Amino acid sequence: MENKNAASVPMKIGIASLDAQHEALFECINKFIRLYLKGEPERGEVEKQFAALVDYTVTHFDDEEFFMRSIDYPELANHAAQHQALRDVVDSFSTRLEAEKDLHTFCGEVIELLKTWLNKHICTLDAKIAVYYQSHGK
Ligand SMILES: [Fe+2]
Ligand SMILES: [Fe+2]
């Protein structure tokens, strides 16, 4: 099984503002991992850290979509649809958390999902924004 002790630093795509947000996002995940490692974490803490994680993810997606629009990025629609798919999954986790009894398992699943999804997304779709920006940006 994959090591859950920390989410590795995400790949840098070469756009400083987005790279800084990706790093901050992984720091939010690392806080969640520290909760997970406590065994059975306290509900209030899980709710607080999960809300921060959701909030930061949504803010990052909004900012990244704003950036794509600002450079007339031609693959915005497909990219934004991927973001929306993750927003939907995160929403279903939020609903599940309200009645969840096994918070340790809940945290583990959130960590696995976000680490895997974000690493893949950053290395593929986000990296393509930078390639476009470097050849078409101002
Ligand atoms: Fe993205
Ligand atoms: Fe991103």
Side-chain angles (χ1 to χ4, degrees):
M1 188 164 174
E2 199 194 334
N3 179 7
K4 283 206 178 73
N5 289 333
S8 52
V9 178
M11 166 198 170
K12 280 203 190 318
I13 63 170
I15 300 172
S17 58
L18 297 181
D19 282 332
Q21 288 194 344
H22 290 154
E23 274 189 37
L25 201 44
F26 273 65
E27 194 36 56
C28 279
I29 297 175
N30 280 329
K31 280 189 185 158
F32 215 73
I33 290 173
R34 289 195 279 278
L35 262 185
Y36 172 82
L37 292 173
K38 283 184 180 175
E40 192 53 44
E42 197 197 314
R43 169 165 286 277
E45 271 295 297
V46 173
E47 285 177 348
K48 188 174 132 205
Q49 296 296 343
F50 183 72
L53 194 50
V54 171
D55 206 50
Y56 202 88
T57 304
V58 169
T59 299
H60 169 61
F61 286 173
D62 288 348
D63 287 353
E64 200 172 271
E65 287 165 22
F66 181 85
F67 179 78
M68 287 188 276
R69 268 192 295 280
S70 78
I71 60 167
D72 293 321
Y73 185 57
E75 294 179 49
L76 168 64
N78 174 53
H79 196 129
Q82 298 287 321
H83 286 172
Q84 190 54 46
L86 188 72
R87 284 189 192 94
D88 291 345
V89 175
V90 166
D91 276 353
S92 69
F93 268 109
S94 295
T95 306
R96 176 178 148 191
L97 178 57
E98 289 167 24
E100 180 64 60
K101 298 267 188 289
D102 184 354
L103 294 174
H104 182 72
T105 299
F106 176 85
C107 290
E109 288 180 23
V110 169
I111 291 161
E112 246 355 271
L113 169 88
L114 286 179
K115 272 170 60 176
T116 307
W117 195 96
L118 286 169
N119 269 319
K120 183 166 172 235
H121 180 85
I122 291 168
C123 295
T124 55
L125 292 200
D126 287 357
K128 283 174 80 177
I129 307 172
V131 170
Y132 179 84
Y133 179 61
Q134 274 141 21
S135 53
H136 297 80
K138 359 188 151 159

